[in-house]
Amino acid sequence: MGTRGRGRVADRPADRSAARSTAGPARPAGRPATGGPADAEVAIPVRGRADRRRTARRAARRRRRSLLRELPLIVFVALLVALVMKTFLVQVFVIPSGSMEQTIQIGDRVLVDKFTPWFGAEPERGDVVVFKDPGGWLESDHQPSTDGPVLRGAKQVLTFVGLLPSDSEQDLIKRVIGVGGDTVECCDDQGRVSVNGTPIDEPYLAVGNPPSRQPFKVKVPQGRLWVMGDHRDVSADSRFHMGNPGQGTIPLSGVVGRAFTIVWPVSRIDQLDAPGSLSKLAKAPQARGVAPDSPGARPVPMEPPLVMGVLGILPLVGRRPGRRPA
């Protein structure tokens, strides 16, 4: 009986040594023992540099795969935002001609408000507006595209959402001089344009330009506008289209929006405000008028359309190779 007891006691040191060898490194001095089976799992194996590198590479691959899966969604959302902005909010137009100098120079980018017209806002005297060609105002010298089918399709998509300029749009930019019911006439004894008998001061005119070198008198029908360029000597505006349908006026329905600021180049950033000489004029009586016929034959100059559909303002975004401004 005593022999069995002594045998068990003698075996204990060996058992403890085996337990320590299987459990891992010895517990640091001063650390209390838990006394349970979980105590054997406290020791964390040391990872080598190669293991860490493999883990980092796996994480990087997972991130790349995640980005590739999300990229189509990101592109779709970006295109959708661009389309909404172009259609309902604002749009940048590139100026191809000098008909609005000195207010707007060739190559300037102007920001056009397309949002307020959705709430019934109408152009007022003095506003600079972008409008669709009412018929016969623009050049028609579009050159055939030399792009392949893939590139042409990609350009059509980007043009549709407003990230590339469009060659098919027919837009112009002019200043509103008369609204529905106004009588616009030129010139008085001092060579000025008058609206409803009141001569107007036009500080925006290009240097050396008179208000008009051709006399005219027109009563603007309701729902239409009489527009003129600030560079009167080169502007193919309402004066030169009095023999066309609408007798020189443009319909309100054709107005794309009001240009309210120059956004590029940086050195020319400025507001396009209406001068007080026009904006403070009293409203004309709401009587329907008829514009008179054109007083004699005259040349009808042509202008290039605005480059439209551009959301970016950097110079390279809206550039049209081979296009010479008028």
Side-chain angles (χ1 to χ4, degrees), residues 145-194:
S145 174
T146 58
D147 298 329
V150 176
L151 181 58
R152 185 165 56 249
K155 285 185 175 181
Q156 288 175 350
V157 172
L158 294 178
T159 298
F160 176 72
V161 299
L163 294 177
L164 280 182
S166 172
D167 292 328
S168 61
E169 298 293 341
Q170 301 288 293
D171 300 311
L172 301 100
I173 185 167
K174 295 286 181 279
R175 189 181 297 274
V176 177
I177 303 298
V179 297
D182 286 344
T183 298
V184 185
E185 183 177 3
C186 189
C187 302
D188 66 0
D189 295 339
Q190 300 181 33
R192 297 172 296 181
V193 172
S194 64

Side-chain angles (χ1 to χ4, degrees), residues 23 34-42:
T34 58
D39 189 44
E41 300 176 7
V42 172

Side-chain angles (χ1 to χ4, degrees), residues 80-92 111-119 256-258 260 311:
L80 182 62
V81 170
L83 178 61
V84 170
M85 288 186 63
K86 169 195 168 184
T87 305
F88 301 106
L89 302 179
V90 294
Q91 188 170 359
V92 175
L111 198 60
V112 174
D113 170 24
K114 302 175 74 173
F115 181 68
T116 54
W118 289 93
F119 296 92
V256 175
R258 180 179 67 89
F260 62 94
L311 287 177

Side-chain angles (χ1 to χ4, degrees), residues 95 97-98 100-109 262 268:
I95 307 303
S97 74
M100 285 297 293
E101 292 174 338
Q102 301 295 319
T103 307
I104 307 174
Q105 304 286 346
I106 295 173
D108 284 355
R109 274 71 169 165
I262 301 172
R268 288 188 42 76

